[in-house]
Structures are given as C-alpha cells and as structure tokens.
Amino acid sequence: MQSGVLILGLEGKVALVFGVASEDSIAWAICQRLAQAGCKLYLGYQKRFMSRIFQLKDKLPEISGFYPLDVGSDITTAEFFTEFSKENPDLKVDIMVHAIGFAPRECFDRHILFVDDDAINTAITISANSLQRIMRHAMPYLNNNSSTITLTYAASTRYVPNYGVMSIAKAALESWTRELACQLGPEGHRLNAISSGPIKTIAAGGIPGFDKILDHVEENSPLRRNVNQDDVAGCTVWLASNLSSGVTGQCIHVDAGYSSTMVPGSIMGDK
Ligand code: NAD
C-alpha cells in the first residue's frame, strides 16, 4: 500500500503561491498543505505585507524563496519572474496558486450604476486579468503538465448583496480559467478554479455585511457549516496532484454544498 504522500505524487514538486498576506489567508493554508505533500514553495507577496511574510516564512521551512509581486503592472509581474529565475536558474515550476483579489472600497459600497471606471478597471485587472498576466510571464518556467489553481466565489453567477463589481471580476476570472485551460491544454497545462464559500480573511473584511453572509451559509448549507481555509487547501492539493490529471477548465465548489441549493430548507422549519 502506497503512503498518502506517494499517491499524491507531489514530493519534490515546485509550487509558486501568490496571495499570502496573513495567517488567515487561504493561500497560507494552501502553502501548509502543499508543504506537507512534499512541495518546495516559492511565494510572490505584495510589498505592503512584507513584514508579515517574513514572520510567516520561519514557520514553514519548505518556503525556499519569496519575491515581491504587484500584478497591477505588467512590468512588476515580469520583475517577479526575472528575480525568481535569476536566483533559481533551471528550476521549473509544476504548480501555481493564484489567490489574488482586490477591489477599491467603492466597488462594494457605492450603487453599481455609479462606480467609476478606474475602480472597475482596478478590480478586474487585479482580480481577474492578473491570471492571464501571471500565466504569460510564467510560461517559460512551467514544466509540462503544470497545474494552476485560482480562487473564485459563487457571486460570479448569482447575486450576492454587497459583492458589487467583484462579482463581475470573478465572472471574468472564471472565463479566463476556461479560456486559458483550452488554449494551453494541448501543451499539457491544466487550470482550474475553486469557488470557495465565505471565509473571514483580510480581503473578505472589505465586504460590508460579511458576517451576515457567514451566518446565513452556516444555517442553510447542506453541511450546516461554513468552510475554512483548510477545506479549500485540501481541494487545491488534489487539483495540484496527479489524482486530478483529467480535470481542467473547471470551477469546483468548496462551499459546504451551499451552491447546490436554491430554496433553503429552513423556510420549512428544517434544522
Ligand atoms: P487575503 O486578503 O488573505 O488574500 C488576498 C491576496 O491578494 C493578498 O495576499 C494580497 O496581497 C493579494 N493581492 C491583492 N492585490 C494584489 C496585487 N496588486 N498584486 C499582488 N497581490 C495582490 O484574502 P483571501 O480571502 O485569502 O483571498 C484569496 C482569494 O480567495 C481571493 O481571490 C479572494 O477573492 C478569493 N476568495 C475568498 C473568499 C473569502 O470568503 N475569503 C471566498 C471566495 C474566494
């Protein structure tokens, strides 16, 4: 009988993880699970979170390098890969995790009719188009049969109060995932999105009324709970591994089943 780590086939694989900002980040749980599975980790971090990243790296010896990254600009994204390849010549990447999202405040709390173009463009550039930007710069460093995982939210296809422009960005991100999966699939590269249920993180803190959404999901999801970072990390490791070798271009919901419901049982008095 093979051990769990051997079955995953991730021992010695190289993973680039984008989107760790704190210990609450979904990407941080993903780093921990990928490390347990035997991966070598390289992080791309936003400069404003540098001191936290420096504290976190000591907790995970599998982090072999970390470099600043701002996906808002093509130049700084290119610089990340230049730095990465300079310090790690000949190293090829097997796994990428895109856990990046941002929208200016007005995208959440201004009436959707009156959000400025600049704010909309920022939200979509950072939260959606950055997947294409990162993939483009990563291509020279990717091994064949690479697996890239991005994180989305079900507001991409259904209305969620106060999610505003971010819903449009997530719809675009899911389209990028399908488009890139189809165009890069012939070379063996896989891309998938995980649609996570709500989890309290720095990014989620920007959404007005987020606690009410958490309460609602806990009461009405089939599993009668919210998911946590580790639930998402488990699915990410599966998508990174050979166990999911036939899966690409998909959006997989890790949300305690909430997205499978329409009318909650609670209206009939179900517990
Ligand atoms: P988080 O705040 O911990 O992570 C967001 C990350 O995006 C941070 O690391 C931040 O540095 C990075 N980022 C923002 N702008 C950037 C830029 N210009 N360049 C580079 N990096 C940038 O929050 P999180 O909830 O872990 O978010 C990770 C992903 O998960 C996001 O895409 C988010 O939309 C998605 N998601 C979160 C939830 C949730 O409820 N928390 C649910 C579904 C999907």
Side-chain angles (χ1 to χ4, degrees):
M1 179 79 86
Q2 285 186 315
S3 79
V5 168
L6 281 179
I7 289 170
L8 285 170
L10 291 175
E11 192 77 47
K13 297 283 180 190
V14 173
L16 292 186
V17 180
F18 306 113
V20 177
S22 77
E23 256 172 317
D24 290 332
S25 293
I26 299 172
W28 181 241
I30 292 171
C31 283
Q32 289 171 299
R33 284 289 179 200
L34 287 174
Q36 276 173 5
C39 293
K40 255 175 108 167
L41 303 172
Y42 294 84
L43 269 54
Y45 67 92
Q46 227 182 346
K47 273 186 185 154
R48 66 191 177 112
F49 296 119
M50 191 167 84
S51 59
R52 290 198 209 189
I53 301 291
F54 274 65
Q55 284 166 13
L56 284 177
K57 79 157 173 46
D58 293 334
K59 299 188 178 181
L60 212 52
E62 290 82 357
I63 297 178
S64 305
F66 47 97
Y67 314 96
L69 171 76
D70 181 350
V71 295
S73 123
D74 205 49
I75 293 170
T76 53
T77 307
E79 280 168 3
F80 168 88
F81 285 98
T82 309
E83 275 303 297
F84 170 74
S85 62
K86 203 162 71 187
E87 288 200 15
N88 309 282
D90 306 326
L91 194 66
K92 290 282 185 181
V93 175
D94 304 289
I95 299 152
M96 287 205 298
V97 176
H98 173 277
I100 292 174
F102 173 77
R105 182 84 202 163
E106 66 171 278
C107 289
F108 300 111
D109 62 12
R110 191 176 291 183
H111 191 293
I112 195 101
L113 276 179
F114 301 109
V115 180
D116 290 335
D117 284 355
D118 281 354
I120 295 172
N121 291 339
T122 299
I124 295 177
T125 300
I126 305 289
S127 310
N129 301 354
S130 61
L131 179 65
Q132 179 241 22
R133 183 168 272 171
I134 284 178
M135 283 307 296
R136 186 173 64 250
H137 289 290
M139 285 312 289
Y141 310 106
L142 284 185
N143 258 329
N144 284 343
N145 303 318
S146 75
S147 175
T148 296
I149 299 105
T150 186
L151 298 183
T152 184
Y153 181 51
S156 57
T157 52
R158 276 172 250 178
Y159 175 71
V160 175
N162 295 341
Y163 211 66
V165 176
M166 201 59 166
S167 311
I168 290 122
K170 289 302 192 192
L173 177 67
E174 291 172 23
S175 293
W176 274 124
T177 305
R178 282 187 295 274
E179 198 60 36
L180 289 163
C182 285
Q183 306 253 354
L184 302 177
E187 294 164 46
H189 302 294
R190 297 190 292 122
L191 285 100
N192 290 287
I194 295 177
S195 185
S196 168
I199 300 175
K200 237 183 176 158
T201 59
I202 295 175
I207 301 163
F210 189 76
D211 284 344
K212 288 188 186 158
I213 294 175
L214 283 175
D215 290 345
H216 174 79
V217 171
E218 186 175 344
E219 281 160 24
N220 295 296
S221 64
L223 295 180
R224 298 293 190 274
R225 70 171 177 91
N226 279 293
V227 292
N228 59 32
Q229 288 86 338
D230 204 41
D231 289 313
V232 180
C235 187
T236 307
V237 169
W238 171 70
L239 283 172
S241 79
N242 286 334
L243 295 181
S244 62
S245 55
V247 181
T248 195
Q250 303 302 312
C251 178
I252 297 172
H253 292 267
V254 177
D255 63 352
Y258 184 83
S259 56
S260 70
T261 67
M262 191 158 87
V263 179
S266 57
I267 69 158
M268 301 297 176
D270 290 2
K271 289 247 163 62

